[in-house]
Amino acid sequence: MVKTIALAGTFDSKGKEFLYVKELIESLGFQTYTIHTGVFEPFFQPDVPNSEIVAAAGADILRIATQKDRANATATLSRGMEILLPKLYQMGKFDGILSFGGTGGTSIVTPGMRALPIGVPKVMVSTVASGNTEPYVGTSDIMMIPSIVDVAGLNSISTQIFTNAVFAIAGMLSYENNTQLEKKPLIAATMFGLTTPCINQAKAYLEEKGYEVLIFHATGVGGRTMESLIENGFIDGVLDITTTEWADEIVGGVLASGPHRLEAAGRNGIPQVVSVGALDMVNFGPFDSVPNQFAGRKFYKHNPTVTLMRTTVEENQQFGQIIADKLNRTNGKTTLLLPLKGISGLDIEGQDFYGPKEDEMLFKTLRQAINQDKVELIEIDTDINHQEFALAAAKKLVELIEG
């Protein structure tokens, strides 16, 4: 069966470039499905006009064109793509999507790409592909290719990059992996360097019991990615041991995961075992990048590019309150495990972040704020990386899933 590649972009300002790519795709035996994301008249007739995109966002293209407000136009088109593109995919209009653009074009198309299911080929050739791509990729599987030169004109560099991108998505759609892996229930687990021993031990136990464990590094995007997969129905159980992203969210570190962390499992009734891993630390970059407002705090130079800051008693009270609030909303089986002798590899007696007062405030707040009619609270008299704690967490999760 002939596969179809959606080609989305600003056919007004970059029409010649997109027509070149369209013809190249079709020369390889694929069909194209063209989507015009520009504001003005396209260089060639698209399958989906810009009026249809902005209409999906409740706007009128003629009004947008008349206003000549680039920011508003970009925002409206991106919102329209986010709404319309997954609908077009569900209708069977295309099998994969390819786009080219600068900051504006990238901002318009990638929200729609992010709304597509994981596994659908999505390739974005962009002038910002070698920088911070998180605002464009988010928690999706968009493949970003640096354009090297601006997407403006056909030359010896741009045509080579365009060709490579076309061949890349063509390859994704031409070949299928027929290897059948044994289907196992999926467990999502959160880990940090300083909670690694816990997760490794828990993972080994869960795998022995027939589960597949996906580990998410609690670096902000890791937590958001996990929440997204839970929300989209991929996950059967959650071992959320490392909730450190809340420390960055509340205090102002660089690995914040946003205000909706710890919501997806409870909202969707997915069994979850949660702990307070690495809430003793806030993450920053190199030491000289730490904001002046934190002068005088206790720091640990994890490596030349990562500086950790010990959290305070007051901050731990805040962590306890927000975690309790999130877990109390659960619609499913939820257990909170507290490791009473340390919440990370640095928070044990003799280590740099050992803080009994800070930890006790966290535990006290959670004891008082957790609704134990909805959330089971278990306290274990070890540190978080002790084998006893790791196995208790893993066994409890199996019990919640299978019980």
Side-chain angles (χ1 to χ4, degrees):
M1 187 176 73
V2 177
K3 298 288 183 70
T4 299
I5 297 174
L7 186 61
T10 52
F11 299 165
D12 47 2
S13 62
K14 304 181 189 303
K16 291 182 179 179
E17 295 87 342
F18 277 101
L19 186 58
Y20 170 85
V21 172
K22 178 179 183 295
E23 292 172 349
L24 177 57
I25 292 171
E26 292 169 351
S27 74
L28 298 177
F30 292 88
Q31 294 178 342
T32 55
Y33 185 71
T34 54
I35 304 171
H36 175 37
T37 65
V39 173
F40 304 106
E41 289 298 312
F43 184 73
F44 59 90
Q45 189 64 34
D47 295 302
V48 180
N50 52 8
S51 57
E52 189 174 338
I53 298 171
V54 299
D60 178 76
I61 190 61
L62 294 178
R63 183 178 179 84
I64 289 175
T66 302
Q67 289 175 334
K68 296 183 179 179
D69 183 337
R70 180 181 173 87
N72 178 60
T74 299
T76 304
L77 284 159
S78 64
R79 191 162 63 249
M81 284 291 284
E82 186 176 14
I83 296 167
L84 184 61
L85 199 62
K87 292 181 180 179
L88 295 173
Y89 176 75
Q90 289 298 325
M91 292 166 63
K93 296 295 186 181
F94 62 91
D95 301 289
I97 182 168
L98 174 64
S99 184
F100 302 79
T103 55
T106 306
S107 297
I108 290 170
V109 177
T110 51
M113 287 182 169
R114 293 197 299 269
L116 295 172
I118 288 175
V120 176
K122 329 167 177 66
V123 177
M124 183 76 221
V125 178
S126 174
T127 58
V128 293
S130 62
N132 176 19
T133 60
E134 184 180 342
Y136 308 106
V137 176
T139 60
S140 76
D141 58 342
I142 298 171
M143 298 185 68
M144 299 279 285
I145 298 177
S147 64
I148 307 301
V149 294
D150 196 7
V151 183
L154 299 173
N155 54 62
S156 59
I157 299 295
S158 66
T159 52
Q160 184 62 63
I161 300 300
F162 295 164
T163 301
N164 287 345
V166 169
F167 288 174
I169 196 166
M172 295 178 209
L173 293 172
S174 296
Y175 298 94
E176 294 183 5
N177 182 3
N178 296 314
T179 302
Q180 297 295 318
L181 296 177
E182 181 184 354
K183 173 62 177 173
K184 298 179 180 180
L186 281 179
I187 302 298
T190 50
M191 187 174 80
F192 220 42
L194 291 161
T195 60
T196 295
C198 174
I199 296 302
N200 283 345
Q201 294 172 90
K203 177 175 180 286
Y205 178 87
L206 290 166
E207 289 175 342
E208 286 178 4
K209 296 298 180 181
Y211 293 90
E212 182 178 352
V213 182
L214 306 180
I215 296 177
F216 297 87
H217 208 54
T219 55
V221 68
R224 289 196 299 277
T225 302
M226 182 184 74
E227 298 278 330
S228 176
L229 289 176
I230 296 169
E231 194 67 46
N232 285 287
F234 289 94
I235 305 300
D236 299 290
V238 179
L239 191 67
D240 203 349
I241 295 299
T242 313
T243 48
T244 183
E245 287 154 319
W246 274 113
D248 288 65
E249 179 71 25
I250 291 174
V251 181
V254 298
L255 300 183
S257 197
H260 301 297
R261 184 71 172 83
L262 272 178
E263 292 182 358
R267 180 168 52 247
N268 292 281
I270 306 300
Q272 60 178 332
V273 172
V274 180
S275 192
V276 291
L279 281 170
D280 56 319
M281 61 190 68
V282 179
N283 294 265
F284 296 103
F287 185 73
D288 59 7
S289 73
V290 178
N292 293 333
Q293 69 193 75
F294 299 114
R297 294 281 292 267
K298 181 183 289 187
F299 294 99
Y300 179 84
K301 295 181 181 179
H302 189 60
N303 60 48
T305 61
V306 176
T307 304
L308 309 177
M309 181 178 75
R310 190 29 163 126
T311 55
T312 66
V313 171
E314 293 76 17
E315 289 163 356
N316 276 276
Q317 184 177 32
Q318 292 179 271
F319 305 156
Q321 193 60 55
I322 191 68
I323 289 172
D325 177 63
K326 296 294 183 181
L327 297 185
N328 286 344
R329 304 178 194 179
T330 185
N331 295 316
K333 299 175 182 178
T334 298
T335 298
L336 175 64
L337 263 61
L338 302 182
L340 300 182
K341 289 188 176 178
I343 62 177
S344 85
L346 283 178
D347 181 40
I348 56 177
E349 192 166 2
Q351 293 298 314
D352 292 70
F353 280 1
Y354 181 55
K357 292 181 180 179
E358 292 86 349
D359 291 355
E360 183 52 38
M361 176 56 75
L362 175 63
F363 301 150
K364 177 183 175 182
T365 304
L366 286 165
R367 292 183 191 114
Q368 293 174 345
I370 282 289
N371 179 357
Q372 295 194 46
D373 292 331
K374 300 186 73 174
V375 180
E376 180 184 21
L377 180 62
I378 298 176
E379 302 184 21
I380 300 178
D381 196 30
T382 69
D383 69 90
I384 200 165
N385 288 317
H386 194 282
Q387 184 182 42
E388 180 183 342
F389 183 88
L391 293 180
K395 290 177 180 178
K396 173 54 66 172
L397 184 56
V398 172
E399 176 188 321
L400 296 184
I401 295 172
E402 300 180 0

